[in-house]
Amino acid sequence: AILNAVFDVLLNVILPVLLVAGLGGVVARMIGMPVAPLSQLSFYLLGPALVFDGLSTIELSGGEAAKIVAAVAMSYVATMALGYGGAAIGGLDRGMRSAVGLTSATSNGGNMGLPVVLLAFGDSGLDIAVIAFVSLSILTNVIGIFVASLAGGSARAALTAPLRVPSLWAAAMGLLVNALEIDVPTTIAASAGTMAQGSIPVMLIVLGLHLSKRPSFGPAGPMALTVAIRLVAGPFIAWGAVSLLGIDGMAHDTLIVLGGMPTAVNATIIATQYQARPDFVTKAVIASTITSIATSTVLVSLF
């Protein structure tokens, strides 16, 4: 039964996601498509639409939702600190410290995490995963961008960098709409929903564009560190967070599975935008995604 579950996850969830990225890479290689325009489109338009659409429409259930957000935040900060601190102890320069921290913390809770959770736990698990995904998006666009900005600028510039990120303002508007139960005009709601639906495919194509470059996975030390934190330490850190907060049942299992997702394409988009060693970050996204074919199927089978 466990082997059948592992095979189902591999065949019906993980491989289809990777197939979309792969097809994007093949087409891009054939027509010579550059990655920068699509990356910027995702950063400035489609990503913010996804955040607004998710936060403005999701039904939050008070205490449990707060615990889910807290667990995601604890896991994010812990993996970021572990990656950045490990790189600092290893004597890496400021740019590489930012890159390792970013890739260690930015998990793919969206285009990989959501379908994996849906298959493993059904609609109830998916509701939890959506809250976790939106929380992670906000954290990535605040803490992640702050750390990425440290790669090539002053601390003051890094502190103000998140304020120039469209997703942060989209999150604020989405929360306001949800909290005040504002009836968003159909024109705006439909437009945001349409762009939100397009964000994940575009993110996968961006990944495919980077996959088409066939990079070498070095330097070995930082790469091993970030992949180990994201795929191995991540689930244990998530387990510690949910245990500390007293989260059990469906939310417990869902958050631990999400803790073991590979590095998200968003990390590449942010690293490119702020020059935080985007080549290394891209390699880490690819390396962790390939490795997660094995680790995520084993992790799901445990639950």
Side-chain angles (χ1 to χ4, degrees), residues 82-100:
L82 193 59
Y84 195 94
I89 292 172
L92 301 179
D93 60 38
R94 187 169 62 172
M96 188 60 78
R97 291 199 299 266
S98 293
V100 173

Side-chain angles (χ1 to χ4, degrees), residues 139-262:
L139 288 164
T140 300
N141 284 295
V142 178
I143 300 176
I145 285 178
F146 170 73
V147 171
S149 299
L150 289 175
S154 66
R156 181 178 180 180
L159 285 171
T160 59
L163 299 178
R164 299 189 294 271
V165 176
S167 289
L168 180 61
W169 298 105
M173 288 188 290
L175 286 171
L176 184 65
V177 167
N178 197 313
L180 299 180
E181 298 183 354
I182 297 174
D183 188 12
V184 179
T186 302
T187 302
I188 296 176
S191 298
T194 299
M195 289 188 291
Q197 291 175 5
S199 65
I200 291 176
V202 170
M203 289 178 185
L204 283 175
I205 292 173
V206 170
L207 175 59
L209 285 166
H210 289 292
L211 281 168
S212 68
K213 297 179 181 179
R214 300 176 183 177
S216 59
F217 297 113
M223 185 62 64
L225 175 64
T226 190
V227 171
I229 292 173
R230 182 84 304 279
L231 300 181
V232 180
F236 285 100
I237 290 172
W239 172 79
V242 297
S243 299
L244 185 64
L245 293 169
I247 299 174
D248 54 15
M250 181 74 71
H252 173 278
D253 296 347
T254 299
L255 291 174
I256 293 176
V257 168
L258 289 174
M261 291 296 105

Side-chain angles (χ1 to χ4, degrees), residues 51-118:
V51 171
F52 174 80
D53 184 65
L55 282 178
S56 63
T57 59
I58 196 169
E59 295 183 4
L60 301 176
S61 57
E64 184 180 12
K67 286 186 177 181
I68 293 170
V69 172
V72 172
M74 290 170 62
S75 298
Y76 186 91
V77 171
T79 49
M80 175 70 78
L82 193 59
Y84 195 94
I89 292 172
L92 301 179
D93 60 38
R94 187 169 62 172
M96 188 60 78
R97 291 199 299 266
S98 293
V100 173
L102 185 65
T103 52
S104 297
T106 310
S107 65
N108 192 344
N111 48 39
M112 184 165 288
L114 294 179
V116 167
V117 166
L118 179 61

